[in-house]
Amino acid sequence: MMNNSLIQLHSFSLPKFPSSSSTSGFSSNYNINNRRRRCRFTRFAVSASSVPLLDLPLLPFPKEQILVPSEYKKLHLYEARYLALLEESLYKNNSLFVHFVLHPIAVNETFTEASFAARYACLVSIEKVERLDVGALVFIRGIGRVKLVEFGQEQPFLRGLVMPSKDYVLLDNSELDSKVSELKEALHNLNSLEIKLKAPEEASLQTQTSNALKWAEKTVAVDCDEAFIPSLAERISYSALQPVSGSLQSELSTLQKEKLRAMDIKDTTERIGNSLKYVKNNISIVAAKLALQSLKIQ
């Protein structure tokens, strides 16, 4: 039995990954084998109930570039297919598309064609576009998890139907509110330390953590069915999963694992607990870096 969070793809040419860079300055180009691969496709049945669906362009990324709700990211799109996707999103889909992870999976030992899984899909809103001589810089925000229920290729880009995938909450509101408040306090403490680490003279400097938290606390203004918008508590639970100023590669690898785990969790309180541990660990790391920074200044 295949996990219902996966979709196997069929009968389309595997796309090249677009160049992307986060606001922390990391950038990479994702190139795949030049030969034309074919993939398998499975469509999941959706009950004919009131489940809301959106028909949107889809943009694939490798697992290392997973996007979580609340996260802000900068993409450089320059290939014709992705510029066509951008125009489609801006003018026909209320500035929305879906960011998802595409990676190989094992089907069986005798299967010789490429097989890929589509996972960790996140509804994305385009917040800003800067046109360049070659392509465009596109600033996006992760809104909420979605599940792909139908997947295909509409030349020249991928397109599919998605449904919302939100948490369930086991605790009463008062207990959940207490945990949310504790996480927010930890995030504010981390932000205060990050500002000192990045530039002591610029006390108003905003970090990615602060940016994500401020977005999460606002009423989300996205032109789509409200069922796709996560609850306040769920949005805040993701806001901790941002790169910390001056992160080492080992720390970024830890963040990657936390983001993958967070996208699999369906209980807001569990994710908040994990996020709180992650933030407290980051506070300790940044505090140690600040101590070393102080010694160097002396």
Side-chain angles (χ1 to χ4, degrees):
M1 180 73 67
M2 188 173 65
N3 187 322
N4 282 345
S5 65
L6 302 182
I7 286 182
Q8 293 182 9
L9 315 180
H10 175 61
S11 296
F12 73 95
S13 300
L14 188 66
K16 292 182 180 179
F17 293 116
S19 169
S20 72
S21 58
S22 69
T23 51
S24 60
F26 296 98
S27 63
S28 301
N29 291 326
Y30 305 104
N31 296 316
I32 60 174
N33 201 313
N34 287 331
R35 74 183 172 86
R36 308 295 279 182
R37 298 182 180 180
R38 309 300 287 179
C39 307
R40 304 177 71 189
F41 171 77
T42 299
R43 179 180 298 178
F44 293 116
V46 180
S47 60
S49 62
S50 59
V51 175
L53 297 173
L54 287 176
D55 179 9
L56 292 173
L58 310 174
L59 191 58
F61 289 83
K63 188 167 64 173
E64 294 73 24
Q65 285 293 315
I66 184 174
L67 184 81
V68 298
S70 81
E71 186 175 356
Y72 187 73
K73 185 186 246 183
K74 178 175 66 177
L75 307 176
H76 179 201
L77 303 182
Y78 51 85
E79 285 192 34
R81 73 182 88 182
Y82 297 127
L83 293 175
L85 180 148
L86 174 61
E87 300 304 312
E88 180 82 6
S89 299
L90 287 173
Y91 301 113
K92 295 184 181 180
N93 291 280
N94 300 319
S95 296
L96 300 174
F97 67 87
V98 174
H99 178 298
F100 74 98
V101 168
L102 183 67
H103 61 98
I105 59 173
V107 178
N108 57 57
E109 294 180 356
T110 60
F111 187 63
T112 57
E113 294 179 329
S115 183
F116 293 83
R119 297 192 65 188
Y120 306 117
C122 187
L123 178 65
V124 160
S125 175
I126 299 172
E127 294 196 345
K128 184 173 66 170
V129 176
E130 293 181 5
R131 303 289 179 175
L132 304 175
D133 291 340
V134 178
L137 292 180
V138 184
F139 299 82
I140 63 173
R141 176 79 64 181
I143 303 300
R145 287 176 302 178
V146 293
K147 180 179 291 186
L148 280 70
V149 295
E150 185 175 329
F151 195 112
Q153 184 167 23
E154 175 180 298
Q155 295 292 344
F157 51 82
L158 301 176
R159 193 176 189 97
L161 289 178
V162 297
M163 60 185 290
S165 177
K166 297 195 293 188
D167 288 349
Y168 57 84
V169 179
L170 294 179
L171 297 180
D172 61 67
N173 288 338
S174 60
E175 189 171 353
L176 180 59
D177 289 346
S178 175
K179 290 183 175 293
V180 168
S181 296
E182 185 179 2
L183 178 57
K184 286 171 60 177
E185 181 179 0
L187 289 171
H188 286 304
N189 291 337
L190 175 60
N191 183 62
S192 297
L193 291 174
E194 280 192 90
I195 289 173
K196 295 176 183 177
L197 184 64
K198 291 177 70 173
E201 72 280 3
E202 296 182 14
S204 62
L205 187 63
Q206 186 183 77
T207 65
Q208 287 179 254
T209 299
S210 175
N211 180 287
L213 180 58
K214 287 183 177 180
W215 176 86
E217 291 180 304
K218 294 179 181 178
T219 300
V220 179
V222 178
D223 190 3
C224 69
D225 193 304
E226 290 185 3
F228 287 88
I229 310 300
S231 68
L232 173 63
E234 183 175 344
R235 298 197 303 269
I236 291 175
S237 73
Y238 285 108
S239 61
L241 304 175
Q242 315 298 325
V244 175
S245 305
S247 291
L248 303 176
Q249 186 56 50
S250 60
E251 294 162 3
L252 292 174
S253 296
T254 298
L255 172 60
Q256 165 74 4
K257 293 176 183 177
E258 289 294 329
K259 289 165 72 173
L260 291 170
R261 178 166 67 158
M263 290 289 276
D264 280 327
I265 290 173
K266 297 295 290 184
D267 181 358
T268 304
T269 57
E270 181 182 354
R271 189 183 304 103
I272 287 177
N274 292 341
S275 293
L276 187 57
K277 291 178 184 177
Y278 177 69
V279 171
K280 287 181 176 179
N281 183 62
N282 280 338
I283 288 174
S284 298
I285 292 173
V286 175
K289 290 179 179 179
L290 279 172
L292 290 174
Q293 179 177 284
S294 177
L295 289 174
K296 290 180 180 180
I297 292 175
Q298 293 178 2

